[in-house]
Amino acid sequence: MNIGTAIKEIRKKKGLSQTELASLSGTTQASLSQIEAGRRPKTETLKNISKSLKVPEALLYISGLEKNDIPKENRELYDQLFPLLKSMITSLVSIK
C-alpha cells in the first residue's frame, strides 16, 4: 500500500504544491515529501491531509492499494476492477 502516491496524485489534481498542502495540513513540506515518497504518515497527519484535500481518508487508502496488497487468488479481479475504481476516484477528486 502506498498512501503517499495517492496523496501526491490527489494533491496534483487539486493544483496544490507540496508547500501549500503542508501548510494547509499543519505539517512541513519535508515531512509531506517523505510521505509522498513512501513513509507511512501518523494517523493525525493523515486526517489533516485528507481534510485539507477535502477527501475522505478511506479514499486515500483505496487509492493507495497496490496489486501486491491483494491476495493472489483475487489479483485477476483487481486487474479488472481497479482501473475503473481509479477512474471513479479521479472523477470524484476533480469535483471541487
Side-chain angles (χ1 to χ4, degrees):
M1 174 160 299
N2 195 336
I3 293 173
T5 299
I7 290 169
K8 182 177 183 177
E9 287 176 5
I10 294 170
R11 173 181 61 77
K12 286 185 171 191
K13 289 200 184 310
K14 298 246 180 201
L16 295 169
S17 68
Q18 279 186 344
T19 302
E20 290 169 325
L21 180 56
S23 177
L24 289 170
S25 62
T27 191
T28 65
Q29 184 275 327
S31 179
L32 182 59
S33 177
Q34 290 173 347
I35 291 167
E36 288 185 357
R39 192 189 90 213
R40 182 80 117 183
K42 294 180 182 177
T43 303
E44 192 63 31
T45 302
L46 185 60
K47 284 182 184 182
N48 291 336
I49 290 171
S50 71
K51 283 181 185 177
S52 299
L53 289 172
K54 298 178 182 171
V55 298
E57 282 180 68
L59 195 102
L60 296 176
Y61 283 106
I62 292 167
S63 295
L65 276 176
E66 295 177 322
K67 191 171 185 170
N68 64 347
D69 296 325
I70 307 299
K72 288 181 183 179
E73 63 272 11
N74 295 332
R75 289 186 183 166
E76 186 176 330
L77 185 59
Y78 171 91
D79 288 338
Q80 294 170 4
L81 294 178
F82 198 71
L84 296 170
L85 183 59
K86 245 343 205 183
S87 176
M88 288 173 34
I89 290 169
T90 299
S91 295
L92 286 172
V93 169
S94 297
I95 300 169
K96 294 185 180 185

